[in-house]
Amino acid sequence: MRIIAGEYRGRVLKAPKGEGTRPTTDRVREAMMSVVNSARDGFDDAVVLDAFAGSGALGLEALSRGARCVQFCERAGEALKALNANVAALGLDARRARVRKGDVLKDVPYARPPFDLVFLDPPYACDAAAVLDFVSALRSRAALADDALVVYEHAAGASDAVDDAAKARDLSIAQRKKYGDTVVDVLRVAALPDAPC
């Protein structure tokens, strides 16, 4: 795996050992970055959450392309080793790349300023409702910017479940792209209404 574009273009990334992680292919990662680039008009100054980070390839690609900072969340030991090695190899400090150990579905991260770009690449066996509950939890904690973009990679067979879960949580799927057995959805998050006085 290599970083595709930007400041760290061509730098090799370590992948976790074992079969517990499914790295996003270069083709899909490039497509995801293209969609984000178009939807956000670039990566400049993005505050990013790489929620199921694995090796950190998605968040590191965003940093390479101009994101301000990334919070990486990962719970698996081998993936954390690879992620920490990749962050260190690029010479990134905690102001730009913060690695957080834990299960984001149980311990929702907080950010100030709020995240305006979220990458979701959970294990394909992960329930779509649980993943999108996580997005709702981010929104209710004010950890998402009003115009946040959420990029969700999942198995093609889960598309109906994702549609139902998104609709139930007032999330709109702005774009869907299919790459073989993989689907990438771009979701827009509606702001919560202000509480009455």
Side-chain angles (χ1 to χ4, degrees):
M1 277 191 312
R2 293 177 185 274
I3 292 182
I4 298 163
E7 180 181 356
Y8 305 114
R9 181 181 180 174
R11 298 287 291 273
V12 176
L13 299 175
K14 290 181 186 259
K17 293 178 182 174
E19 297 182 13
T21 307
R22 172 199 34 77
T24 301
T25 65
D26 285 355
R27 175 177 169 244
V28 172
R29 191 161 24 105
E30 174 58 33
M32 289 169 85
M33 297 302 148
S34 179
V35 165
V36 170
N37 188 63
S38 197
R40 288 191 83 255
D41 196 24
F43 286 80
D44 290 350
D45 218 27
V47 177
V48 182
L49 173 62
D50 192 347
F52 302 86
S55 68
L58 295 173
L60 293 171
E61 189 75 46
L63 280 172
S64 183
R65 294 171 186 237
R68 181 193 324 175
C69 58
V70 178
Q71 187 173 146
F72 298 92
C73 297
E74 180 54 57
R75 67 178 186 177
E78 286 300 322
L80 274 166
K81 283 182 195 174
L83 171 56
N84 281 313
N86 289 333
V87 167
L90 296 177
L92 297 165
D93 63 28
R95 288 171 299 174
R96 293 203 64 211
R98 184 173 304 130
V99 177
R100 187 169 174 263
K101 180 181 181 180
D103 184 344
V104 294
L105 298 181
K106 294 178 182 172
D107 185 16
V108 178
Y110 178 78
R112 277 290 165 262
F115 302 113
D116 52 24
L117 176 58
V118 176
F119 290 112
L120 303 173
D121 184 13
Y124 279 1
C126 201
D127 180 57
V131 173
L132 296 184
D133 277 344
F134 165 70
V135 175
S136 293
L138 285 172
R139 179 173 53 185
S140 67
R141 291 189 70 178
L144 282 181
D146 288 344
D147 58 349
L149 198 67
V150 177
V151 183
Y152 180 13
E153 179 182 342
H154 58 83
S159 293
D160 288 345
V162 172
D163 289 343
D164 293 344
K167 186 175 181 181
R169 289 153 186 84
D170 198 25
L171 303 169
S172 60
I173 299 175
Q175 195 170 6
R176 173 169 282 166
K177 300 273 188 178
K178 189 170 185 284
Y179 308 92
D181 293 336
T182 298
V183 168
V184 175
D185 286 335
V186 176
L187 295 102
R188 289 285 185 183
V189 180
L192 289 174
D194 290 332
C197 295

